[in-house]
Amino acid sequence: MSAFDRVLRACCLGLVVVALGLSSVAHAQMAPSGLPDADKQQIKNYTLNEDIFNRLVAATKEARAEGIAPRGAPDPSKVHSLDDLAAQAMAGDQRIPALVKKYGFTPREFMLANIALTNAILAVQARSDPALANNLNPVWVNPGNIRFIDTHQAEVTALMQGGADHPANGQAQ
């Protein structure tokens, strides 16, 4: 599987694919240079846990069930912060803000969680893919999140394949 295909599969994991489209998640990992340093640091320091992961899974499944369609990448000229990125995501479909809120996220935290999850998945996949490793900026990846993905590989794989065998089972936790 090519590095690009791995990026696309990883990006399919979070609702961010529904809210922003595949290319923007890859962009969030590979070219976040326009973000303020405080946002960059917050991305790196954001820590995934069971609760966050389960809520992301549930939101993703509900979005799929509701037919919320992916949208294109955000306009980079309008993204100067995580808040800008979140605002564009929320504007992608009128159902997204309510869905994000239903699962206990603010728009900003939702973006942080999805970027952290995607970055960790890409970092794990980069171990066996030199082309992906060359495009991955390790500065953006929290080592704790890599460990989290390592211990949740089965759930991540099932979700990437559209499976329903995760404990969140589409329900808010």
Side-chain angles (χ1 to χ4, degrees):
M1 180 179 291
S2 74
F4 183 71
D5 290 335
R6 286 182 187 261
V7 169
L8 290 180
R9 286 194 63 194
C11 292
C12 287
L13 181 58
L15 181 59
V16 134
V17 71
V18 174
L20 296 176
L22 299 173
S23 61
S24 63
V25 178
H27 176 267
Q29 161 56 50
M30 295 183 197
S33 58
L35 296 178
D37 288 340
D39 285 355
K40 293 175 186 177
Q41 196 61 37
Q42 193 172 14
I43 290 168
K44 180 174 179 162
N45 292 335
Y46 192 87
T47 302
L48 298 169
N49 61 39
E50 292 291 331
D51 174 59
I52 292 166
F53 183 70
N54 287 339
R55 290 186 289 134
L56 284 173
V57 168
T60 299
K61 289 180 179 181
E62 186 169 333
R64 287 177 183 161
E66 293 291 321
I68 298 174
R71 75 178 275 224
D75 180 347
S77 70
K78 295 180 181 177
V79 176
H80 306 288
S81 69
L82 281 172
D83 291 327
D84 293 343
L85 190 60
Q88 285 196 36
M90 297 302 111
D93 185 305
Q94 66 184 14
R95 299 170 290 179
I96 294 172
L99 184 64
V100 167
K101 185 176 180 179
K102 175 180 178 179
Y103 289 97
F105 293 106
T106 65
R108 182 181 179 92
E109 184 185 13
F110 186 72
M111 291 307 305
L112 281 168
N114 273 285
I115 291 170
L117 182 63
T118 301
N119 286 352
I121 291 167
L122 292 173
V124 168
Q125 292 179 341
R127 292 178 189 154
S128 60
D129 187 335
L132 181 57
N134 289 337
N135 290 317
L136 188 72
N137 184 347
V139 170
W140 300 101
V141 184
N142 180 325
N145 292 342
I146 294 172
R147 289 188 294 277
F148 183 88
I149 295 303
D150 283 338
T151 61
H152 292 80
Q153 195 61 53
E155 294 104 321
V156 168
T157 300
L159 188 60
M160 287 171 63
Q161 296 171 348
D165 56 349
H166 184 274
N169 200 21
Q171 303 297 316
Q173 299 293 307

